[in-house]
Amino acid sequence: MSNIDNVVNFIKKTPKSELHLHIEGSLEPELMFKLSKRNKIEIPFKSVEEIKSAYNFSNLDSFLKIYYEGSNVLITEEDFFDLTWEYILRCKKDNIVHTEIFFDPQSHTTRGIDFNVVISGIYKALTKANSEFGITSKIIMCFLRHLDEELCFDVLKYAINHKDKIIGVGLDSSEKGNPPKKFKRLFEEAIKEGFLTVAHAGEEGPPEYIWDSLNLLKVKRIDHGVQCLKDEKLVEKLKEKNIPLTVCPLSNIKLCVFDKLENHNLKKMLDKGLRVMVNSDDPAYFGGYLNTNLIETSKALNLNLEEVKILIRNSFKSSFLDENSKNNWLNKI
Ligand code: ADE
Ligand code: ZN
């Protein structure tokens, strides 16, 4: 068997965790179409094929426009349940045993959808995932960084009522021009309330946004972070503090952060000893779930079995699981 066949087999059969997945980004065109009919919500597409052919993006903002439009079909608790359950079935297929999912409440509450409807649908599906398949999960609530900090305080209040379900808060949406410092007070308050913090930084934005996420937002993980290699001092800091970087290779290609997968800097990050792992981000939009991300990236960057093992182990190590559960999975890889 060739080296790459070995790697592919290993990826498929090994238990894995995923730490960077927007649940709204797992909305497959088929379900989007079904929900648009069920809820009588107009979408600007006539067929599933038309939806799929609209998925050509030139940067993050061009994707976000379509992503928020797609989310408009999500109305009822059942819709959020169905969305999450479909992702869980993908987890089962890909042998993902633990997942930490983002949700964007403000893209729903601003349309008049009750926060409780959103969180209940997601949570019920995750509870079922645990009882039927043993899949464990955590929920991270993201603030939309293109909105004002003041508006984000409102949604933090909702999250406080659901501390039993939400482990942390994150920051996503349009990065350039919306620096972490805009949300310093909000994150201070979230930390006071006991939430862990993470933030998208250095996806398209400069290394300075990664520095500020660490220093001002006190994040436990950086989401993406691929721009860090532009700043040697930052790389040293990330290594010294063992900060996880939740890299999403297929996302970076679809959003033109790198021109092709062969030119992605994941291997360079690995070689520098950074704590990186692979994730799918918005798999319904970017052409693949976790196994596809791992397999395509391994092929394009010629990763060997040892490097793939490091990526998968890094994911468990960087998760918000308790130490016992982490060690339990790490011993199996
Ligand atoms: N929301 C969903 N996917 C995102 C991404 N890749 N970057 C920022 N915000 C997002
Ligand atoms: Zn993301």
Side-chain angles (χ1 to χ4, degrees):
M1 207 188 287
S2 76
N3 185 31
I4 188 63
D5 288 340
N6 259 337
V7 168
V8 170
N9 280 342
F10 179 79
I11 289 169
K12 286 183 181 166
K13 73 165 207 283
T14 304
K16 289 168 294 289
S17 98
E18 174 150 66
L19 306 181
H20 185 155
L21 178 283
H22 301 263
I23 199 64
E24 294 89 348
S26 72
L27 178 60
E28 288 288 339
E30 287 77 8
L31 184 59
M32 191 192 295
F33 215 70
K34 186 174 138 188
L35 295 185
S36 81
K37 291 221 165 86
R38 184 155 99 190
N39 294 323
K40 301 184 178 56
I41 302 283
E42 290 264 342
I43 53 171
F45 310 106
K46 284 196 213 65
S47 65
V48 165
E49 288 66 39
E50 212 179 298
I51 302 178
K52 286 183 183 164
S53 64
Y55 291 175
N56 285 308
F57 313 115
S58 51
N59 56 23
L60 175 57
D61 282 354
S62 67
F63 155 69
L64 289 170
K65 185 175 175 294
I66 299 236
Y67 165 82
Y68 293 129
E69 267 171 24
S71 295
N72 287 343
V73 301
L74 297 161
I75 307 287
T76 65
E77 183 181 307
E78 188 189 4
D79 300 342
F80 288 95
F81 178 92
D82 290 350
L83 171 72
T84 310
W85 188 247
E86 278 206 0
Y87 167 65
I88 288 299
L89 295 178
R90 301 278 184 159
C91 287
K92 180 138 195 313
K93 217 166 141 209
D94 273 10
N95 210 352
I96 295 174
V97 294
H98 177 71
T99 181
E100 305 196 349
I101 69 169
F102 296 129
F103 77 117
D104 285 338
Q106 288 158 307
S107 63
H108 314 302
T109 53
T110 51
R111 298 182 288 116
I113 312 293
D114 188 336
F115 185 98
N116 296 305
V117 163
V118 181
I119 190 75
S120 295
I122 296 171
Y123 190 71
K124 281 183 185 164
L126 295 179
T127 305
K128 182 172 168 182
N130 190 238
S131 59
E132 288 199 6
F133 305 139
I135 295 174
T136 55
S137 58
K138 306 282 179 196
I139 301 178
I140 299 168
M141 181 184 85
C142 280
F143 300 108
L144 300 183
R145 68 198 307 158
H146 64 272
L147 299 176
D148 287 343
E149 189 187 39
E150 220 39 60
L151 287 172
C152 298
F153 273 104
D154 295 340
V155 87
L156 177 61
K157 281 195 203 112
Y158 290 124
I160 290 168
N161 295 329
H162 293 278
K163 271 189 198 169
D164 56 326
K165 306 177 194 72
I166 299 171
I167 192 163
V169 298
L171 191 62
D172 67 1
S173 193
S174 185
E175 186 182 12
K176 284 181 179 167
N178 293 299
K181 65 173 184 253
K182 186 175 157 186
F183 301 97
K184 184 174 179 289
R185 285 187 319 122
L186 177 72
F187 273 61
E188 273 168 8
E189 188 63 28
I191 291 167
K192 255 192 227 149
E193 289 291 346
F195 293 106
L196 301 174
T197 61
V198 298
H200 282 55
E203 178 182 12
E204 287 184 338
E208 181 198 343
Y209 286 16
I210 302 178
W211 280 113
D212 284 354
S213 298
L214 296 172
N215 294 332
L216 305 179
L217 309 185
K218 313 283 182 212
V219 297
K220 302 282 184 214
R221 301 195 294 244
I222 294 285
D223 296 311
H224 291 289
V226 291
Q227 304 298 335
C228 73
L229 295 192
K230 291 177 176 162
D231 181 340
E232 254 323 300
K233 279 215 175 87
L234 176 59
V235 170
E236 282 313 308
K237 183 74 171 180
L238 292 166
K239 264 166 60 175
E240 177 201 321
K241 300 269 175 199
N242 237 334
I243 302 290
L245 303 159
T246 65
V247 176
C248 308
L250 289 182
S251 162
N252 293 151
I253 303 311
K254 274 283 187 182
L255 303 188
C256 306
V257 176
F258 300 94
D259 61 347
K260 52 182 177 176
L261 207 45
E262 286 75 11
N263 290 338
H264 196 285
N265 66 2
L266 178 77
K267 171 120 172 67
K268 288 197 187 91
M269 294 169 94
L270 256 180
D271 290 346
K272 286 189 181 288
L274 289 166
R275 192 185 269 199
V276 285
M277 83 293 300
V278 166
N279 305 271
S280 69
D281 204 5
D282 303 285
Y285 293 87
F286 299 152
Y289 286 77
L290 182 59
N291 279 4
T292 307
N293 267 272
L294 277 163
I295 291 168
E296 294 301 313
T297 306
S298 300
K299 286 182 181 169
L301 300 180
N302 268 319
L303 301 182
N304 61 34
L305 197 58
E306 212 33 58
E307 289 163 331
V308 171
K309 262 187 203 172
I310 292 172
L311 292 171
I312 294 175
R313 290 176 67 84
N314 279 349
S315 186
F316 282 110
K317 283 184 196 166
S318 311
S319 72
F320 294 147
L321 280 166
D322 61 65
E323 290 304 312
N324 264 348
S325 310
K326 277 188 200 182
N327 289 329
N328 183 34
W329 287 119
L330 288 169
N331 287 335
K332 290 194 167 77
I333 300 161

